[in-house]
Amino acid sequence: MSTPYSSAEVHRAVELLASRPLVRLVTEIDDNGAIPPRRLAGILPDLSTHQLRSASHTARAYGLVRAAPGAGLQLTDAGTELADLYDAMARWARRHAVPAPVCEFSSRIRHVLDLLAPSLTAERADALSPLIGDGAEAGLARPRTLLIQWLADNPQVATASEPEPVA
């Protein structure tokens, strides 16, 4: 299966989707429900105010979250699908102990996205083969398919320029 993405588009999408603050925000909302914006710092204390503001702005700009009156930030359908994609990637990475047997969830996401990136511009899915050994690439077929589908449903992630920075 070929994809219509240039190397620059794939790079842009991977950088956005692998952003630790964005991964943390999306998975936190997915796991625990809507977050009032004023409670973000207490719920995600490992992220700076700037990181929280930037992740929140980016997630809104790309349609991953919306502000629900009285509830706070909640995932859109695209955000829920992204959370499912993150879960599929993390499961594969845990099963193969990459990038390390014990590591942070967002590090697993980054690693899998980095493995998948070359195959998004290749003509064949077997572009994964040189990157990983021991038949592990077969297990990456599902996360790759989910990623391709998610990008097809959310083309703004690969084709749009960066959203305006938060002041």
Side-chain angles (χ1 to χ4, degrees):
M1 171 192 316
S2 65
T3 59
Y5 303 110
S6 69
S7 294
E9 289 170 331
V10 169
H11 177 75
R12 190 176 305 118
V14 167
E15 288 307 307
L16 174 76
L17 297 176
S19 161
R20 183 177 176 275
L22 184 68
V23 170
R24 295 276 292 118
L25 178 65
V26 168
T27 56
E28 182 65 33
I29 295 171
D30 184 54
D31 290 346
N32 298 303
I35 301 174
R38 290 199 162 109
R39 299 213 37 234
L40 280 174
I43 292 172
L44 299 167
D46 56 317
L47 300 178
S48 71
T49 302
H50 173 73
Q51 288 174 316
L52 289 169
R53 215 174 299 149
S54 180
S56 175
H57 174 74
T58 298
R60 286 183 206 203
Y62 287 106
L64 305 175
V65 301
R66 68 177 160 260
L73 294 177
Q74 63 184 30
L75 294 177
T76 61
D77 290 342
T80 299
E81 291 166 5
L82 180 58
D84 293 343
L85 174 60
Y86 284 160
D87 287 341
M89 290 179 187
R91 275 192 303 279
W92 182 89
R94 273 192 305 274
R95 190 173 316 118
H96 297 283
V98 295
V102 177
C103 67
E104 191 176 73
F105 184 85
S106 59
S107 296
R108 292 190 192 283
I109 301 306
R110 162 64 75 178
H111 187 78
V112 173
L113 283 167
D114 287 343
L115 286 174
L116 292 174
S119 75
L120 298 177
T121 58
E123 288 299 311
R124 302 182 331 253
D126 64 1
L128 293 172
S129 297
L131 300 173
I132 48 182
D134 303 327
E137 67 274 0
L140 268 179
R142 177 163 166 69
R144 180 180 183 274
T145 299
L146 292 172
L147 176 59
I148 290 170
Q149 183 60 53
W150 193 88
L151 288 171
D153 292 344
N154 300 278
Q156 72 279 9
V157 170
T159 59
S161 61
E162 292 295 316
E164 291 298 314
V166 178

